[in-house]
Amino acid sequence: MGNPLKEFKNSIDGLKQSLDGVKQSVDGLKAPVDELMGNVQDTLGEAKSRSEGVKSELGRMKQAVEDTKAVLVEVKDTLTASAEVLYTRKRYARLFSRRAKLQTAKAVQP
């Protein structure tokens, strides 16, 4: 049997070497994980940026719809007023044509 202290020291040295190997493995795995986390952060930033752009575009679209509605209301009001004017003109034309016919008929009947 050998020296127990020497064997214990050798055992501890072996454990240290194993621990160093594990640390190197962890460091080797850490770089891809850090890169992955960086990529995830970049993707999240881009997604937020796109989300803000989409929200902005939706806001512009909603405003365009509201503007279009307002224009359509104005067009409807204009058409309604035009129809009333045309109807009134037509009524006056009929009235004046009747009046002219009556006056012509009275002038012819003496």
Side-chain angles (χ1 to χ4, degrees), residues 40-53:
V40 166
Q41 291 300 325
D42 291 344
T43 303
L44 284 174
E46 290 174 13
K48 286 179 183 178
S49 173
R50 282 189 219 137
S51 174
E52 291 169 5

Side-chain angles (χ1 to χ4, degrees), residues 1-60:
M1 197 160 175
N3 188 350
L5 286 177
K6 218 178 208 189
E7 287 178 17
F8 184 68
K9 185 177 185 251
N10 287 339
S11 175
I12 289 180
D13 287 341
L15 286 173
K16 283 182 182 179
Q17 288 176 352
S18 294
L19 185 61
D20 287 342
V22 169
K23 283 181 182 179
Q24 288 175 356
S25 295
V26 167
D27 289 342
L29 293 173
K30 199 181 225 186
V33 169
D34 289 342
E35 182 180 346
L36 178 67
M37 292 304 291
N39 290 340
V40 166
Q41 291 300 325
D42 291 344
T43 303
L44 284 174
E46 290 174 13
K48 286 179 183 178
S49 173
R50 282 189 219 137
S51 174
E52 291 169 5
V54 168
K55 286 179 184 177
S56 170
E57 190 62 30
L58 282 175
R60 283 189 290 240

Side-chain angles (χ1 to χ4, degrees), residues 46-110:
E46 290 174 13
K48 286 179 183 178
S49 173
R50 282 189 219 137
S51 174
E52 291 169 5
V54 168
K55 286 179 184 177
S56 170
E57 190 62 30
L58 282 175
R60 283 189 290 240
M61 290 173 68
K62 285 180 181 178
Q63 184 60 43
V65 167
E66 293 300 319
D67 293 345
T68 303
K69 285 181 182 178
V71 167
L72 289 175
V73 167
E74 288 181 26
V75 167
K76 180 184 172 190
D77 293 344
T78 301
L79 288 175
T80 302
S82 297
E84 289 176 14
V85 167
L86 289 174
Y87 177 73
T88 304
R89 285 179 75 194
K90 189 175 179 181
R91 283 185 57 208
Y92 281 132
R94 274 188 283 164
L95 283 173
F96 288 130
S97 68
R98 284 185 194 163
R99 191 178 284 173
K101 287 180 187 177
L102 287 176
Q103 286 178 355
T104 310
K106 285 183 182 179
V108 174
Q109 285 183 347

